[in-house]
Structure formats: C-alpha cells, structure tokens
Amino acid sequence: MGEKEEEEGQEPKLKQQKVVSNNIIVQFVSPEGEPTGPQLDVPTNVTAQQCQTLLQGLLREDEPRPYSFYIDDQELGGALVDHLKKHKLSVESLLKIVYQPQAVFRVRPVTRCSASIPGHDAAILCVNFSPNGKHLCTGSGDTTVRFWHLGTQTPHHTCRGHKSWVLSVVWSPDAAMVASGDRNGAIWLWDPTKGTAIGQCKGHRKFISSISWEPAHEALPSRRFCSGSKDGTVKVWDAGTRRLLYSLGSHTAGVTAVIWGGEGLIYSAARDCTINVWRSSDGSMVRTLRGHGHWVNTMSLSTSYALKTGAFNHKGERQGSDEDAQKEAQKRYLEAKGGQTSPERLVTGSDDFTLCLWEPGRSKQPISRMVGHQQLVNQVCFSPDGRWILSASFDKSVKLWDGVKGKFVATFRGHVGPVYQVAWSADSRLAVSGSKDSTLKLWDMRTRKAAVDLPGHADEVFTVDWSPTGDAVASGGRDKVLKLWKQ
C-alpha cells in the first residue's frame, strides 16, 4: 500500500519534469530592435543568469558587462518557464528576448538618515550634488547659497549676495563653479572651494527658473551657461567675464526650463505651451515643438546624467589633463546617447497632465504623447542609462515610462500628498521621490515597488538629489533642515 502511494506521489513530479525539459526557440534582440546572433533552441527552464552567459558568448565583448532581459516589456527575473506561465505566453512561437545593458557597478539602497543639518533660516528650495559627488550645494528662501562638507556632514561655506529667494543652484560639469539664480532675476557665480563670489550676471528682469551649463565634451574648463527666466527670455553668458553673449527672446510667456544639450542645441520650455530648439553657436532658432495644451513645466534629456557628470566616472574620478578629460566626456556622452548616429531624446511634462517624448534634433513631431496622470506633471527625469523616464505629479503618484518608445510601464503609489521631485541612482536600478507629505520613498525598478520608506522631515520635501557616486541622497524642504540619507 505504501509503495502505491509513493508511486502516485511521484506522478505529478514526473509530469512537472516533462514540462521543464521542453525547449523553446528564442531570439536575442538589441535595445534598437536588431536581432543579435542566430535563433537558439534553449530549454524552458533557462534562467536570466544563463541568458547572460549565452548573450556574452554571442557578443564576444572584451569586457563582459551585466544585462537585464525583457519579454514584451516584462523583465525576466528567474527561470523562463515561470515567466511564461505567469504571463501566459506561448512556447510554440519564436520568443524575442530584448537585452538592456546595465551599469557595471551597483548602488546600494539608502535606508537611514545619517545627518540632519540645520543652518538655513528659511525653506530649502534646491539641492545639488557636484558632478564628482564630493560636494553639496543648497539654495534657500533665506537668500543664501550654502556648501556642505559631506565628510563631516557640517556646513562648509555660507555665500551671501542674493537679495531674494535662491530658486536654482547648478554646478559646472568640471565642478569648478556654481551658478545660482534668484527670484529677482540675479545670477551669481561662486567658487565652491573658497565659498567666495566670482561675480554677478545682470540682465533678467524677473525670476530665474532654470540654469544649464555647456557640456564638458564641448568645452573644458567650463565657460558658458544659459539661463531661463519668467521674463520670457533665455540668455547665454560667459562665466569668465560675466558678460551676456546673446539673448533668445521668442517665447511669449515665462521660460520654465532650459537645457544645454550635447548636440550643439539649447532647449527651452515655457508657459506659452511650446519648446524652442536653439543653435548654441549663434543663438539662431532651429525649430519649435508644439504638442502640449498648457504650460510646459519640466524637461529632461536622455543624456542628462552624462551631461551633468561630464568626465567624472561613478567613483568621482576623472582624467588628469583637460584634453584627456574632454575626450573621456565625449566617450561617456556617446555611450549615453547610444552611438554617434543615435539622436538625443527629450521628454517634457506639462500642466495638461501629459508628457511628450521628442527627438528634437530631427523632428518637431513627438514620438509619443504619454497620458495617465490625473494632475499636473511637476517633474520628469530620464534614468542615467536613458532607458526609463520617471514623472512626478500632483496626483500623488510617480509613473515609470519606456524612455525609447514612451510606453507606460508602471505606477508607483505610496505618497499621500503631491510628489515634487524624483532622483535616480547612478546605476538606474533605484529612484527616490520627495513629497508634500514630508516623506521620501525609495523605489526599486526591478520589483516596481517601494523598497524603503524614509520619514524624518517635519514638513514638505521640496527638493531631492542622489549623489553621482551613489553613496548618499540629500533632501530639503519647508522645515529648513538639510537631511543626508545613506546605506
């Protein structure tokens, strides 16, 4: 009797083994949609790790790098057979597996507040890590710009000069200067090592909404930067002489965001519902992008991370001479862009609750119009690898989108107030968001869920940034306290 029970117990196990031993024809496909290698006959119990080995054999890379694998936009996490069952996919037809290169390093999630540093006398409105991740700068409603020492986690320099709220602080790509803009339209340049003023740039009549520096692969040391203002103009400045080089004045309402791109173009978004594309060499207009029905609030480039960090790698190191560093910055930029022939992609977010994805160097028609938010979009942000887009909205959600096609991927819910800002980790595997509900939340891109809840602020969190070296997150808000979060 016992033997019979044992045989009956073994029958389902044998059936299961039979399913597992089935084979399936797969085709590896590059992120651009090109087939890689021949079609392969593999067992259905093949894992993501074994796919990695197969792909590295096909690519024959000198330095093997990690990859993630996607089937119909769903990431392959474990065995292929489990993925097929979960998503009810057929084993009878050819299975296309899209591979995406990942960062060779891994950023660990931040889990605790390592320092709460008082110092500002009013709300912290902007926070920005230096391109090498070694320094931190904040701007506040108390009219000061402050530099903070990350080693001792104490205030380093307090810079006075502004007469109104400091709305924007931006590091030059070589980490040698910081430009800050205020509510009166004044722009100041600061030396971060000494904490002294280099000079002031005068010209705007209303508040400065955005500042962006010329990329390191086009000029090193950094010399030029552009600024956008509520007065409707974009101005290009020489940081060495503080002189105005030219003013771009085609917008009919306030400029909300400017980006100095890597293809010799400057992008400006405004409350006239348009995005203008300008040639950075002479200030001539290339085209106007129309697609939004209300104010355009925010923009991000697929190469934004490479443009911000310039020649610095994920350890905060760079080549010795400026010439070598410029070549390294060019190499990093082309890698981020996807090659010499690939275009930069631009994503914009608006008060009309939508996002638009563009290839502004090529066309004035959007690739995709991305809908789903129920309130205005406050910020959009491309991941460092250019693969994903995050959008933060007043509808209390963060949404994840495909950065190439603009397809919706997932919604991250958890905040109970409007989400003001998001920031990516350097390896594109994690992101952090700051909200009116006084919390930060850490999101895992693989599981599509909240990984860590980070309470601690006493009031709204206005601004958040993740260090390019990956070891710290900085946040600030209405409670006037700068918080540093670490592993």
Side-chain angles (χ1 to χ4, degrees):
M1 186 74 178
E3 286 178 11
K4 192 174 179 184
E5 282 175 5
E6 193 174 318
E7 283 173 14
E8 284 173 1
Q10 281 181 346
E11 197 176 335
K13 204 179 281 185
L14 289 169
K15 277 185 184 176
Q16 192 180 6
Q17 285 174 353
K18 192 175 177 184
V19 172
V20 168
S21 64
N22 284 341
N23 282 21
I24 187 169
I25 307 295
V26 301
Q27 173 70 66
F28 286 109
V29 179
S30 72
E32 291 75 36
E34 298 294 322
T36 300
Q39 296 177 3
L40 302 174
D41 189 359
V42 300
T44 53
N45 62 347
V46 69
T47 64
Q49 191 60 44
Q50 289 166 328
C51 286
Q52 178 93 14
T53 308
L54 282 170
L55 182 63
Q56 285 172 352
L58 292 171
L59 295 175
R60 296 178 183 171
E61 293 175 316
D62 295 334
E63 297 179 16
R65 60 184 299 177
Y67 289 90
S68 54
F69 299 93
Y70 295 85
I71 301 165
D72 291 342
D73 294 329
Q74 299 294 325
E75 186 171 1
L76 176 63
L80 184 59
V81 65
D82 298 330
H83 187 93
L84 295 173
K85 284 178 183 174
K86 183 179 177 181
H87 299 284
K88 298 177 182 174
L89 298 172
S90 170
V91 296
E92 302 297 326
S93 55
L94 175 68
L95 193 69
K96 291 184 178 179
I97 301 178
V98 179
Y99 60 89
Q100 291 284 347
Q102 288 191 303
V104 292
F105 59 95
R106 186 175 284 274
V107 173
R108 291 164 61 198
V110 295
T111 55
R112 62 188 175 86
C113 178
S114 67
S116 294
I117 319 172
H120 281 296
D121 297 325
I124 297 172
L125 304 177
C126 43
V127 58
N128 207 332
F129 278 100
S130 62
N132 56 14
K134 294 174 182 174
H135 306 283
L136 180 66
C137 180
T138 56
S140 166
D142 65 7
T143 76
T144 66
V145 172
R146 285 179 184 257
F147 293 93
W148 308 83
H149 199 289
L150 292 176
T152 59
Q153 299 184 342
T154 55
H156 199 203
H157 300 297
T158 301
C159 304
R160 304 181 192 281
H162 288 288
K163 298 289 188 287
S164 187
W165 302 353
V166 180
L167 302 177
S168 179
V169 290
V170 183
W171 290 81
S172 62
D174 59 1
M177 281 184 280
V178 168
S180 59
D182 69 22
R183 199 166 173 235
N184 285 348
I187 297 170
W188 282 81
L189 294 169
W190 310 95
D191 181 334
T193 54
K194 298 174 184 175
T196 55
I198 297 170
Q200 187 181 4
C201 300
K202 295 180 181 178
H204 285 296
R205 300 187 310 277
K206 294 184 180 177
F207 72 71
I208 307 297
S209 57
S210 182
I211 296 172
S212 184
W213 286 84
E214 185 175 19
H217 68 266
E218 291 188 354
L220 207 66
S222 302
R223 289 283 296 183
R224 297 191 297 168
F225 67 93
C226 62
S227 58
S229 167
K230 197 194 173 186
D231 64 16
T233 65
V234 176
K235 295 187 187 297
V236 179
W237 310 85
D238 185 311
T241 61
R242 271 81 67 200
R243 284 178 53 244
L244 174 65
L245 299 177
Y246 44 86
S247 184
L248 315 173
S250 172
H251 287 294
T252 57
V255 176
T256 54
V258 290
I259 299 177
W260 196 314
E263 296 179 336
L265 299 171
I266 294 173
Y267 310 104
S268 61
R271 289 182 174 182
D272 61 6
C273 313
T274 66
I275 303 98
N276 283 345
V277 184
W278 315 84
R279 196 167 282 108
S280 61
S281 57
D282 57 7
S284 60
M285 188 190 283
V286 178
R287 57 179 58 90
T288 297
L289 311 178
R290 302 178 194 277
H292 288 293
H294 210 306
W295 297 350
V296 184
N297 297 323
T298 173
M299 295 190 295
S300 180
L301 274 178
S302 56
T303 53
S304 285
Y305 181 78
L307 296 176
K308 176 183 175 177
T309 53
F312 294 101
N313 63 17
H314 67 277
K315 295 177 183 175
E317 301 163 349
R318 61 161 262 185
Q319 302 286 346
S321 71
D322 284 342
E323 192 178 339
D324 290 342
Q326 194 167 351
K327 287 177 183 173
E328 181 63 23
Q330 175 76 12
K331 180 185 166 193
R332 294 185 75 240
Y333 169 73
L334 290 175
E335 282 176 5
K337 201 169 72 146
Q340 191 79 46
T341 55
S342 300
E344 283 183 326
R345 297 183 307 282
L346 178 77
V347 65
T348 54
S350 167
D351 264 26
D352 66 5
F353 310 170
T354 70
L355 291 78
C356 283
L357 185 64
W358 317 79
E359 285 181 357
R362 290 186 175 180
S363 169
K364 59 182 182 181
Q365 300 300 324
I367 301 168
S368 172
R369 192 161 185 266
M370 298 130 79
V371 297
H373 280 297
Q374 305 300 312
Q375 290 287 330
L376 66 88
V377 180
N378 201 51
Q379 193 198 20
V380 291
C381 195
F382 261 103
S383 60
D385 61 8
R387 166 76 181 137
W388 308 107
I389 297 165
L390 277 179
S391 56
S393 170
F394 271 41
D395 65 9
K396 307 174 188 175
S397 75
V398 176
K399 289 188 186 291
L400 180 69
W401 313 82
D402 183 296
V404 178
K405 299 173 186 170
K407 287 170 65 178
F408 169 75
V409 178
T411 299
F412 299 135
R413 298 193 187 279
H415 284 296
V416 293
V419 186
Y420 291 140
Q421 281 197 354
V422 288
W424 284 92
S425 64
D427 64 354
S428 304
R429 294 182 176 100
L430 302 166
V432 65
S433 58
S435 166
K436 186 178 180 178
D437 66 12
S438 81
T439 70
L440 282 80
K441 294 193 187 299
L442 192 76
W443 308 97
D444 188 315
M445 294 304 120
R446 192 179 62 80
T447 62
R448 312 272 197 263
K449 291 178 181 174
V452 186
D453 196 17
L454 301 170
H457 278 286
D459 211 328
E460 303 177 38
V461 181
F462 289 145
T463 179
V464 60
D465 195 21
W466 202 317
S467 167
T469 53
D471 56 356
V473 168
S475 61
R478 195 184 285 274
D479 63 2
K480 314 173 193 175
V481 175
L482 174 70
K483 286 188 180 288
L484 293 176
W485 310 81
K486 296 202 171 183
Q487 290 88 358

